[in-house]
Amino acid sequence: MIARYRIGQLYMISKHSCEQSGGGEGVEVMRNEAHMHPQHGQGQLTEKRIYLSSKLPAWARAFAPRFFYVTEKAWNFYPYTITEYSVSFLPKFSIRIETRFENNNGDNDNVFGDTPTPPENVSFLDILSDPIPERHYKESEDPSRWMSSKTGRGPLEKGWRDDHKPIMCSYKRVQCSFEVYGFQTKTEDFIHKSIQDILLVGHRQAVTWIDEWHGLSLDEVREYEQTMQEKTNSKVKSNPCNT
């Protein structure tokens, strides 16, 4: 299952980034290349700039410059990935996300093989029942209404995590830091909520778009990825302030 999901994940990220870009905001891909890591071996390194000034809450826009970007660096050693974020004008801001994909329903309490995360710090995200921001809702991307013509899967029903086959889990370990007095707690809470929303929307799309990517080879989805990156970069650069 995780081998097939790799195709779906690459497809989803490319299409979602393009959909969310335009008018100078969105995701600009700076590089996407093969990378050899001394510990994790052969993988893929991507670096992106994310422009999202208009999406910040009012309290954050109060101290943010009018134009800025978030840098995302991701090292993909599937089924393990590392993603790091920094902000152009905040040297004390950082986010690090480790991801591991496994063929289970989320019952591995030490997936990263070091120190188990305390239960009170673990959040289970359910693509069927957990709410997403209203602006992101589409009936065609609702797992409770979705049906795949290629695979015969769907719709998902209550309790699906206990008996649905095939099934897999995307485990995330999120660490964020923002050392600015007066804004630290509010900012870190905002970051965790934003990441949760992004993960829910993205994984709902990866599932409900399955008829678009099912059957593609890794080479084919990489070709699609390249095409969409060029289109996305063009949409972002339509605003001269980001050049």
Side-chain angles (χ1 to χ4, degrees), residues 139-163:
E139 185 174 327
S140 62
E141 297 171 3
D142 186 337
S144 70
R145 299 173 179 268
W146 152 79
M147 173 68 78
S148 167
S149 60
K150 285 188 176 180
T151 67
R153 299 172 191 164
L156 296 184
E157 299 178 349
K158 184 178 180 180
W160 69 275
R161 284 178 52 194
D162 297 325
D163 53 27

Side-chain angles (χ1 to χ4, degrees), residues 190-235:
F190 170 73
I191 289 168
H192 281 296
K193 179 60 169 65
S194 298
I195 290 173
Q196 177 175 310
D197 290 342
I198 291 169
L199 292 176
L200 282 170
V201 172
H203 285 81
R204 284 163 64 104
Q205 290 174 332
V207 171
T208 56
W209 290 348
I210 191 171
D211 285 349
E212 299 179 29
W213 57 263
H214 188 270
L216 294 179
S217 67
L218 184 58
D219 288 340
E220 288 172 332
V221 81
R222 286 294 187 193
E223 183 178 342
Y224 173 82
E225 181 183 50
Q226 181 62 39
T227 300
M228 295 301 283
Q229 284 176 6
E230 293 171 1
K231 184 177 180 180
T232 302
N233 283 4
S234 178
K235 291 173 71 176

Side-chain angles (χ1 to χ4, degrees), residues 49-93:
R49 287 184 178 179
I50 306 169
Y51 301 90
L52 39 60
S53 301
S54 68
K55 295 180 174 61
L56 290 180
W59 60 264
R61 290 198 296 269
F63 64 85
R66 184 178 178 187
F67 299 107
F68 73 96
Y69 59 85
V70 175
T71 297
E72 175 194 282
K73 288 186 178 181
W75 293 264
N76 190 336
F77 310 102
Y78 201 85
Y80 175 72
T81 68
I82 302 169
T83 309
E84 295 179 348
Y85 296 90
S86 58
V87 179
S88 55
F89 70 98
L90 292 174
K92 294 184 178 182
F93 173 95

Side-chain angles (χ1 to χ4, degrees), residues 88-126:
S88 55
F89 70 98
L90 292 174
K92 294 184 178 182
F93 173 95
S94 66
I95 302 175
R96 176 184 169 89
I97 303 175
E98 292 176 86
T99 305
R100 186 170 293 279
F101 302 94
E102 287 196 345
N103 289 324
N104 55 53
N105 68 351
D107 59 1
N108 187 345
D109 61 3
N110 191 16
V111 68
F112 295 103
D114 43 31
T115 303
T117 303
E120 63 271 18
N121 292 336
V122 176
S123 297
F124 289 92
L125 304 186
D126 189 327

Side-chain angles (χ1 to χ4, degrees), residues 153-173:
R153 299 172 191 164
L156 296 184
E157 299 178 349
K158 184 178 180 180
W160 69 275
R161 284 178 52 194
D162 297 325
D163 53 27
H164 195 281
K165 301 294 182 181
I167 193 169
M168 60 157 293
C169 182
S170 172
Y171 292 85
K172 303 276 184 179
R173 179 158 61 185

